[in-house]
Amino acid sequence: MKSANTRSRATAVGAVLAVDGLIHLYWATGRTWPVGGTTRLSQLVLNTQVPFTPQGLVPLAGLLFSGATLVLVRGGRLPGLARRLPAVLPRWGSRAVAGGLLARGAVGLVWVAGAGADPGDTFYWLNLLLYTPLCLLLGRAAWQVSAAGTAAGGVGQARTLRA
């Protein structure tokens, strides 16, 4: 059984990734909340101009949902699914999630230092106060979930794929 801390961390990471996935699916419909257009949305979210199209957003949402699921499995939150997966998948999937979040956090620190982001832009402040701290905290939590030990018969035990 996973510790309460591991389950809490997995829940936090999984919830944020799942909500982010839902937001990306929403944007894939052509809506641009919380702003009035894709140009402004791209600038606020990515600090550059990128098309917000279903071809890019739906696969990204799928990655976010997959990452959320793997972290939740590794954290002991989806035991039924855990029994169907080889232990290596949630462990390394959680590590991949952690790596992606920590990489985004590192890029955010570069932007905070003034490279490529204008302190007068809204993106700079969103990155400083929301995006970067959240990515660094969740990246650490995902890494801790991936590294969590398992009890006998738990999620971390080797299993074979079942047809």
Side-chain angles (χ1 to χ4, degrees):
M1 178 188 257
K2 298 288 183 174
S3 74
N5 281 341
T6 298
R7 290 190 308 274
S8 295
R9 288 179 182 117
T11 301
V13 173
V16 171
L17 293 177
V19 167
D20 196 19
L22 289 171
I23 291 169
H24 282 79
L25 286 179
Y26 174 80
W27 289 336
T29 68
R31 292 181 174 86
T32 58
W33 173 88
V35 296
T38 58
T39 300
R40 182 72 177 134
L41 181 62
S42 181
Q43 193 62 43
L44 283 177
V45 174
L46 299 169
N47 195 34
T48 190
Q49 295 306 310
V50 176
F52 273 64
T53 63
Q55 296 83 356
L57 293 168
V58 172
L60 181 54
L63 283 173
L64 290 163
F65 292 135
S66 297
T69 300
L70 291 170
V71 171
L72 289 168
V73 167
R74 180 66 182 166
R77 288 297 193 186
L78 301 172
L81 184 55
R83 288 188 287 276
R84 298 172 186 258
L85 296 175
V88 69
L89 187 59
R91 182 174 58 242
W92 284 99
S94 295
R95 288 178 183 171
V97 166
L101 288 165
L102 292 171
R104 168 53 184 90
V107 170
L109 291 174
V110 171
W111 282 324
V112 167
D118 180 0
D121 288 344
T122 305
F123 170 82
Y124 178 87
W125 293 101
L126 286 171
N127 177 63
L128 174 68
L129 300 173
L130 178 64
Y131 303 151
T132 296
L134 189 60
C135 286
L136 292 173
L137 288 171
L138 292 176
R140 181 174 187 252
W143 184 261
Q144 289 169 326
V145 169
S146 78
T150 57
V155 174
Q157 299 247 325
R159 284 187 248 335
T160 59
L161 285 173
R162 297 179 190 152

